[in-house]
Amino acid sequence: MGQVAKTNTAIAYDRRGHGRTRAEVEDYSAVADLVAVLDTLAEGKPAIVVGCSQGARVALDAALLHPSRVRGLVLISPTVAGAADPVHSPAVHELMEELKRAGAAGDQERINALKARLFLDGPFEQEGRVSGAARTLFLEMNGAILSAPYRGSSIDNVAAYQRLGEIEVPTLVLWGACDFPHIQARSRQVAALLPYGIGTELPCTAHLPSLDRPAELNARLAAFIASAT
């Protein structure tokens, strides 16, 4: 984000249930929250919206519901409402079942370790592939979510996958070569279905390139923003 902020107004905010921000428990719209941030900080101008995973889902929904507020998208490892459910290999299926068992047992430490294994390292990579400050930061941020989960329910209900052809803004779709195979496949499909979509695979990273490949990600963001201006 630092490189992008040198030449652009860069706005980062905590979605409900994430980071250090706390909110009253209520049903909510993540898209409405995003628009409220733009209303407050973007001076009414359309923005390039960047989101990773569920954040990319919010970005897509916003582009469909409020097209005048979005002039470009960067979707990293995107979750997309309406996309097909994943079919996992036996090895990944067992890891996901272990994650469910840890959740049922309320074992937050094990849940956190498994999520780092799956999303930071990558499901087919060696556990601990990403170490040092990046792993520490993941465990701290995800641990905060696990220790104080937000109990409100999202009211957003946008079948975005079936409507991707309606999004007529420049869009960069990024995914990691070490991510879940179904997420890689879905990312390619999204890039192909968007009228102005560009798809790029990032080597040596999984679901969260902002943690283990920040310099490369920032360079790609800066180049895309410059081309979309």
Side-chain angles (χ1 to χ4, degrees):
M1 185 67 78
Q3 183 175 342
V4 172
K6 290 179 180 178
T7 53
N8 303 274
T9 300
I11 302 167
Y13 72 102
D14 293 337
R15 289 197 299 118
R16 296 193 192 216
H18 297 73
R20 300 181 183 277
T21 303
R22 294 291 174 257
E24 294 295 325
V25 176
E26 59 184 352
D27 292 345
Y28 70 99
S29 165
V31 173
D33 287 349
L34 168 60
V35 171
V37 171
L38 295 177
D39 286 343
T40 303
L41 299 175
E43 301 177 348
K45 299 176 182 177
I48 295 175
V49 183
V50 181
C52 178
S53 193
Q54 288 288 341
R57 174 177 177 161
V58 177
L60 277 171
D61 290 354
L64 287 165
L65 295 174
H66 302 278
S68 66
R69 308 306 302 274
V70 178
R71 66 181 181 89
L73 292 167
V74 179
L75 309 173
I76 305 164
S77 314
T79 296
V80 188
D85 292 333
V87 177
H88 297 303
S89 69
V92 174
H93 177 76
E94 178 52 36
L95 286 170
M96 300 303 289
E97 288 299 307
E98 186 176 353
L99 184 60
K100 288 180 182 178
R101 291 192 292 271
D107 188 344
Q108 293 186 6
E109 184 174 350
R110 184 58 181 152
I111 295 170
N112 212 13
L114 283 167
K115 288 199 170 185
R117 164 81 175 81
L118 290 164
F119 294 101
L120 186 61
D121 297 326
F124 295 107
E125 304 300 314
Q126 182 177 359
E127 185 170 8
R129 179 185 69 84
V130 180
S131 59
R135 198 173 200 85
T136 298
L137 183 57
F138 174 90
L139 293 171
E140 288 178 354
M141 292 192 300
N142 198 61
I145 296 170
L146 293 171
S147 63
Y150 186 69
R151 302 297 183 185
S153 298
S154 172
I155 61 174
D156 291 330
N157 184 24
V158 182
Y161 190 79
Q162 287 73 30
R163 297 178 59 189
L164 292 174
E166 300 176 28
I167 299 176
E168 297 186 343
V169 296
T171 303
L172 177 62
V173 185
L174 301 171
W175 63 90
C178 302
D179 204 349
F180 286 85
H182 76 275
I183 295 175
Q184 296 185 51
R186 182 172 65 214
S187 299
R188 293 185 182 95
Q189 291 165 353
V190 169
L193 291 170
L194 288 164
Y196 301 99
I198 301 170
T200 302
E201 180 178 279
L202 302 176
C204 304
T205 189
H207 199 63
L208 303 166
S210 60
L211 288 181
D212 64 334
R213 306 278 290 192
E216 179 179 352
L217 179 62
N218 284 338
R220 290 182 182 276
L221 288 177
F224 175 77
I225 291 168
S227 70
T229 300

